[in-house]
Amino acid sequence: MANSIQFLKAWLIGSTVAFVLASIMHTQMVLIGLLDIDVKISVANWLSTSFQDIWGLLPTYAPVIAFALFIAMLVVVLFAKFIIAPKLLAFIGGATAVLTVLITMQPILDVTLIAGAREPLGFALQCLSGAIGGLTFAKLFYKGSQRRSG
């Protein structure tokens, strides 16, 4: 029971970190694209757009990331019993979870909903957000326990 609660807490925090980072990275890529076409953006607009996008993506992108990371972190916990570096596995698992989300959105919806992921750098930043979320999960889940913490 304690492991389940620890898993859920670590997953919730890791998912939140992944979502917030992914949302911010999405916004930055879109705003940089606007700068490339000479649109002037004030610092205040830059910041407010970032916060608005976090709020706006919360009901859609956050649950998708959370679901993908839930599955990925379950796999990590299962496989971590057989390897020495579960934190590395969680980092890779988080990136793979977001990669899977982005790849499956395209054929299902026939559009890349996350505009910031349409370019290779933006796509990589989305995956990095998932990786950091996975690493956050592992650091919290394996913290101070008898579990392997490689």
Side-chain angles (χ1 to χ4, degrees):
M1 182 68 166
N3 280 349
S4 296
I5 292 170
Q6 185 67 16
F7 177 91
L8 290 174
K9 286 188 337 190
W11 162 73
L12 183 61
I13 294 169
S15 295
T16 301
V17 166
F19 164 70
V20 169
L21 287 174
S23 180
I24 289 170
M25 293 305 132
H26 153 72
T27 304
Q28 303 323 299
M29 291 302 298
V30 170
L31 293 175
I32 288 168
L34 291 172
L35 290 177
D36 288 344
I37 58 171
D38 295 325
V39 173
K40 305 294 182 218
I41 305 168
S42 69
V43 173
N45 282 342
W46 201 284
L47 291 172
S48 69
T49 302
S50 297
F51 287 115
Q52 288 171 359
D53 280 354
I54 291 170
W55 184 252
L57 290 170
L58 187 62
T60 54
Y61 199 34
V64 170
I65 287 176
F67 180 71
L69 281 179
F70 185 80
I71 293 169
M73 295 308 108
L74 278 177
V75 171
V76 164
V77 170
L78 291 173
F79 280 97
K81 296 173 183 174
F82 306 106
I83 65 166
I84 324 174
K87 290 179 184 174
L88 176 60
L89 183 61
F91 184 84
I92 294 167
T96 304
V98 173
L99 174 91
T100 303
V101 163
L102 294 172
I103 288 174
T104 55
M105 273 190 207
Q106 179 63 36
I108 292 171
L109 302 171
D110 198 32
V111 67
T112 304
L113 292 179
I114 305 304
R118 291 182 182 147
E119 299 294 323
L121 176 60
F123 193 90
L125 289 171
Q126 291 297 302
C127 293
L128 180 60
S129 298
I132 293 170
L135 184 59
T136 301
F137 166 85
K139 287 194 173 278
L140 294 170
F141 185 70
Y142 293 105
K143 178 183 176 184
S145 71
Q146 297 301 325
R147 297 177 208 98
R148 291 182 179 187
S149 60

